[in-house]
Structures are given as C-alpha cells and as structure tokens.
Amino acid sequence: MASNFAKLWIQRKLNEAAILRAKEEIFATGWALPCRVVAVSGSIVTVAFEVDSSPWTLPQITIPKAESNWIRMPTQIGDFGYTVPADVHLGQISGLGAGTPKITTSPANLSGLVFHPVSNKNAPPSDPNAAIVQGPNGAIIQTTAGTASSIITNTTGTTITYGSVTVVVNASGVTITASDVTVDAATTTINGTLTVTGSVTASDLVAGNISFNSHYHGGVTTGSGNTSGPA
C-alpha cells in the first residue's frame, strides 16, 4: 500500500501545492526583526535590520516609533530595537502615507512596521527603584493647556516656570523672578553675604542679639553729633 502513494501523483502534488502556498502567506506577513536606528527625524526613524538575511539583502526602512505624542523618547542613532508588524498599513496615522487602509489588504512583509526600543544590559539604570527620565540634553516636562508650566533640565541648568514666575538653577547660582516670594520657616540660615536691593519690611530686625526696635544708645549729650554704639 505504501507504494500506491507514488502512483497517486495528484495527491502528492496537491499536498506540495498547499505547503508552498502556506509558506508564501507566512513569508508575506510582517516580520518582527531586530534592528538598529541609522537616522532620526522627529518621531520617525530609519532602521537597518540586524539579522542574517542571506541570500536576500533587506533594505533600510523608514517607520514610526512606538510612542505617543505625550511621552517622546530621545531616540539616537545606534539605538537598538525590533520591528512590530501591524495587520494593515499605518501610513494614515503615522503621516508616512495617505488613505484609509482596507482591513482585507495586508501590507508587504516590510511595510506596516513600527520601531520598538529594546533595553541593553550594558546600560543599567542608576537607581532600579526609581523612574528615570534622561536624554543627551536632559528632559522637558510641560503643560499643553492652561497657564504655561514647565520644568526644563539640560546641560546648562534647570529652569522651573509657571506663567511669569521662574526659578533658574545653574552654575551661577539660583535666580528667582517673581512679584512676591514667601519663605515660611521657623528658622532661615544664610551662609555668606546677603545683598538686598530695595527696602526690607519687618516687624523687627535683630543683629548680634541687638533688637532694632528696643536697643538704646549711651553717651547722648545735647548738641553732640555722636553717641555710643547700640546696646
């Protein structure tokens, strides 16, 4: 009976045709492959595949990053990741194409892909218990509605802004720009010289344990232009 299969050629050919057709469909589907960023344009990257594709040569492709408009990653040339395939073209939502994709039309195997970053053991976080936001030029946290509010940390310092109020911390020191500054503390210590441009309003001033309101001078003589120091 085993030899009869060779005589029934149509069964063998149908089976081979079915296997070949299945392979063609699998080959045409999107590929999740390791890749490396070779160019960056905003939220769009060009990647080169990090895979032995012989005998084929895979081209570099330009695809969107896997991120939202609200959290932007400072993706750099040389960053590693992999491609995530979609079931239809993404050009309409990524801005790399036009037209509403048909659900019945699958993209080619290197189309409809998204770049997803992958971490590396050679770049561990400085604190594994903390969320870390970093970039070559720092980070920006800002509002998109209401009173403008932002925190910008870069290579020149840190600037905190809310409306017209700003606090700048850099190599020169701390600069506060505001119409009113309130320090609410039981004790305030300043080590160094204090320079005040303008007036100082206080219920009392005490220097060297001498009160401005209750101190007195000795050696007061009528017609004398000098007195002793305060006591």
Side-chain angles (χ1 to χ4, degrees), residues 19-38:
I19 294 175
L20 179 61
R21 182 57 180 160
K23 288 183 177 180
E24 290 176 348
E25 287 297 321
I26 294 173
F27 188 81
T29 57
W31 290 352
L33 300 175
C35 59
R36 170 177 47 87
V37 175
V38 296

Side-chain angles (χ1 to χ4, degrees), residues 32-143:
L33 300 175
C35 59
R36 170 177 47 87
V37 175
V38 296
V40 181
S41 178
S43 293
I44 304 298
V45 296
T46 299
V47 300
F49 290 101
E50 294 289 322
V51 63
D52 183 359
S53 60
S54 58
W56 305 286
T57 300
L58 299 181
Q60 296 181 359
I61 59 173
T62 300
I63 54 179
K65 297 191 292 181
E67 66 181 15
S68 73
N69 289 333
W70 309 115
I71 299 179
R72 308 287 185 88
M73 296 178 292
T75 302
Q76 304 290 294
I77 293 175
D79 285 357
F80 290 103
Y82 67 97
T83 56
V84 179
D87 293 328
V88 295
H89 284 285
L90 301 176
Q92 181 190 31
I93 62 173
S94 68
L96 294 176
T100 302
K102 291 185 177 181
I103 196 171
T104 55
T105 303
S106 299
N109 49 27
L110 295 184
S111 301
L113 301 180
V114 174
F115 172 75
H116 195 289
V118 172
S119 59
N120 187 283
K121 70 174 184 178
N122 295 323
S126 57
D127 185 345
N129 297 316
I132 298 174
V133 180
Q134 62 183 5
N137 195 37
I140 300 174
I141 302 175
Q142 63 185 10
T143 59

